[in-house]
Amino acid sequence: FDYNKPKWPVPYRRFDRRPDVDSFCEAIYPFCPTGDRDGRIPDLRDSDVISVYRLQTPVWEFKYGNLLGKMNIMHDAIGFSSSETGANFTMEWYELFQLGNCTFPHLRPDVYAPFWCNQGAACFFEGIDDLHWSQNGTLEKIGEITGKQFNEMARWVQNDNQTGIYYETWTVRSDPGPNATVWFESYDCSQFVHRTYRKLSQLGAKLSSRTQTNYTKIYLYSGEPAFLGNDSSIFGQPAL
Ligand SMILES: CCCCCCCCCCCCCC(=O)OC[C@@H](O)COP(=O)(O)OC[C@@H](O)CO
């Protein structure tokens, strides 16, 4: 235990590689259907000028329109448009098996511990569906970057995607008050957008939005958590 490091919030746990998904987990909609199977992102010319867009729309807008938007349950993404080629791109981070699977675990008869289907991943694909983002949400230009900055960001996204694997719906705090302690941060679409903006700023990009940007959080209030051990020590699955 490092007494110099704050104990809370518990840092998000990263991994060396993304594990294969369990066949038990089923997606209602295919993940990233038009993106590259291996998550590759095209290299743009260093001298290119890329417009950057803030994208926001209600979760499941393509199916339920503004329904979840009325509850301020919003999905966030980033758009890019190359001035040299005219190509547009959308980059987002979301669940492989939808939000419910990341919010609640499964209880399986043959498995003692709660079973999660909660992987999330980046999805980069060609095109920006203007209507999807603008009719119930936001599509706003927030700046311009060079092709060089885009390419460096792309390499960072691929590493981020290989190590940040699990989607965390809940933000866990001590209480609703302004001085609450955050025990665990969420790890969701908006956190990815924030990490990417931060990386682009570190690369020298200047991004700004003309309007206040609100991001969706769902809170779980708890007393100070205590570490109980890992699945096998808590739920003790006998050797098969
Ligand atoms: C079913 C129980 C859900 C209860 C929890 C409700 C509040 C949770 C808020 C978490 C923030 C959600 C933001 C986010 O991470 O969005 C990602 C994803 O859910 C968006 O899914 P989508 O299918 O609308 O968008 C993917 C689509 O853009 C693919 O092109």
Side-chain angles (χ1 to χ4, degrees):
F1 182 83
D2 181 347
Y3 286 96
N4 297 319
K5 271 198 324 189
K7 186 177 178 184
W8 306 108
V10 174
Y12 178 74
R13 182 177 170 193
R14 288 188 176 271
F15 296 81
D16 295 335
R17 54 175 292 278
R18 181 177 287 274
D20 295 335
V21 292
D22 191 295
S23 57
F24 172 82
C25 299
E26 291 173 2
I28 304 170
Y29 313 112
F31 176 77
C32 203
T34 61
D36 179 86
R37 288 277 44 91
D38 300 316
R40 283 173 299 205
I41 296 174
D43 227 39
L44 302 182
R45 277 161 52 93
D46 284 358
S47 58
D48 198 346
V49 175
I50 322 289
S51 296
V52 182
Y53 298 91
R54 176 170 73 85
L55 306 178
Q56 191 174 71
T57 194
V59 167
W60 299 324
E61 191 273 346
F62 56 87
K63 188 169 175 61
Y64 301 111
N66 196 29
L67 176 64
L68 276 76
K70 291 184 168 61
M71 295 178 267
N72 293 320
I73 299 179
M74 303 299 280
H75 173 44
D76 296 279
I78 304 175
F80 301 98
S81 178
S82 160
S83 58
E84 271 191 18
T85 65
N88 295 328
F89 304 97
T90 302
M91 185 168 81
E92 55 189 343
W93 197 93
Y94 65 100
E95 314 86 338
L96 272 59
F97 305 107
Q98 282 69 58
L99 193 51
N101 270 313
C102 295
T103 312
F104 305 108
H106 295 267
L107 297 178
R108 294 176 59 178
D110 51 340
V111 179
Y112 283 30
F115 187 86
W116 289 90
C117 296
N118 63 338
Q119 282 202 34
C123 172
F124 184 96
F125 60 94
E126 187 145 1
I128 297 177
D129 181 341
D130 289 19
L131 204 56
H132 172 57
W133 299 102
S134 58
Q135 67 184 354
N136 292 304
T138 308
L139 192 163
E140 176 197 16
K141 182 171 177 175
I142 55 172
E144 292 183 344
I145 60 175
T146 64
K148 186 173 187 314
Q149 290 169 323
F150 175 90
N151 295 332
E152 289 185 37
M153 176 212 71
R155 281 189 286 277
W156 169 84
V157 166
Q158 286 169 327
N159 177 264
D160 182 79
N161 199 35
Q162 281 311 311
T163 58
I165 295 154
Y166 297 108
Y167 183 109
E168 304 285 353
T169 303
W170 302 98
T171 300
V172 188
R173 301 167 51 150
S174 55
D175 59 79
N179 302 317
T181 302
V182 175
W183 307 126
F184 299 92
E185 292 283 6
S186 64
Y187 196 84
D188 56 22
C189 58
S190 64
Q191 299 284 55
F192 172 73
V193 166
H194 294 155
R195 284 200 308 283
T196 305
Y197 287 162
R198 196 174 303 127
K199 182 61 184 177
L200 286 172
S201 301
Q202 289 166 357
L203 292 170
K206 301 284 181 253
L207 304 174
S208 64
S209 171
R210 289 183 304 280
T211 56
Q212 171 172 314
T213 313
N214 298 318
Y215 294 97
T216 302
K217 291 284 174 199
I218 183 169
Y219 295 113
L220 194 60
Y221 298 110
S222 155
E224 181 165 344
F227 180 68
L228 299 177
N230 58 26
D231 275 357
S232 53
S233 61
I234 301 171
F235 299 101
Q237 179 97 9
L240 298 177

